[in-house]
Amino acid sequence: MSGNVRLLSDTLAAAKEEGRSALIAYLPAGFPTVDGGIEAVKAAIEGGADVVEVGLPHSDPVLDGPVIQTADDIALRGGVRIADVMRTVREAHAATGAPILVMTYWNPIDRYGVERFTAELAEAGGAGCILPDLPVQESALWREHAEKHGLATVFVVAPSSKDERLAEITAAGSGFVYAASLMGVTGTRASVSSQAEDLVRRTRATTDTPVCVGLGVSNPAQAVEVARFADGVIVGSAFVKRMLDAPDDAAGVEAVRALAGELAKGVRGQV
């Protein structure tokens, strides 16, 4: 069974043809429950997200700020497992037809088994993985199995990445490049780092792969700003915060749908 890397590429290309950035939402699996997380992913897409990253909750999240850590803790205490992550991908993709990726740290994949993980993700209809802590020089085994199963390998670049390092990373990756707008962890911020546009420019000099910006984008005005120079706008903590602040799970799902609609207008410059 082949994964949906082509669907991811086609979706990003279609947004570009429309003269806009793609909207990429992040939501953790198993939060607030497995079923509730699936409904939230579906709502994000129905609201206007083009792509969704499903987070695999991990006990040692090096990139995630307090909002996502809180959601991950709820999911982990609820007993979420990799099987639940795969189910989230499968049901959300089946219901919407949208490309769904998994964002995960390397340790859970390493323990689960690379071949098993990639085969199951492809079977679930997944489009690929974002691997924020897997060094490119140690990624050959993952990339071999991902390519075999038709999955994208999305690496993260940062403002501190030198041009030579950017070229090495972009040559190894596929699907898109995740450009972290700042040095730090995820979270909503008052403004988007000025380093983001320079990072996108330097990254584009090394590749034709779409460059999508995340970390710190939380409202439509910021989405407008980032959409001026990036192929995709990635939003995570703002969605999770809406769910954490909601009075119940159903209201949280509707809050996700509403925010996706607001951000979708942002990437289209309609704010």
Side-chain angles (χ1 to χ4, degrees), residues 103-188:
M103 186 165 188
T104 178
Y105 298 101
W106 179 246
N107 183 259
I109 295 177
D110 191 39
R111 294 183 63 183
Y112 197 72
V114 177
E115 169 59 22
R116 180 185 178 194
F117 190 95
T118 51
E120 291 183 7
L121 183 55
E123 187 276 329
C129 258
I130 301 162
L131 301 158
D133 67 340
L134 177 63
V136 169
Q137 61 269 27
E138 298 175 19
S139 68
L141 178 65
W142 164 265
R143 287 187 285 123
E144 174 191 340
H145 288 289
E147 189 171 342
K148 179 172 76 171
H149 289 292
L151 298 169
T153 297
V154 179
F155 289 115
V156 178
V157 298
S160 61
S161 302
K162 304 298 184 187
D163 291 351
E164 182 179 346
R165 177 69 172 159
L166 288 175
E168 182 183 7
I169 293 170
T170 59
S174 57
F176 64 90
V177 182
Y178 188 124
S181 67
L182 45 77
M183 302 300 295
V185 297
T186 60
T188 60

Side-chain angles (χ1 to χ4, degrees), residues 170-238:
T170 59
S174 57
F176 64 90
V177 182
Y178 188 124
S181 67
L182 45 77
M183 302 300 295
V185 297
T186 60
T188 60
R189 289 175 173 82
S191 62
V192 177
S193 168
S194 59
Q195 298 172 306
E197 186 168 3
D198 179 64
L199 177 58
V200 170
R201 178 189 58 76
R202 292 194 298 116
T203 304
R204 279 193 176 140
T206 71
T207 183
D208 292 328
T209 304
V211 182
C212 304
V213 170
L215 270 68
V217 182
S218 61
N219 60 50
Q222 291 170 344
V224 170
E225 180 186 350
V226 173
R228 285 191 302 101
F229 57 83
D231 298 298
V233 179
I234 304 169
V235 180
S237 294

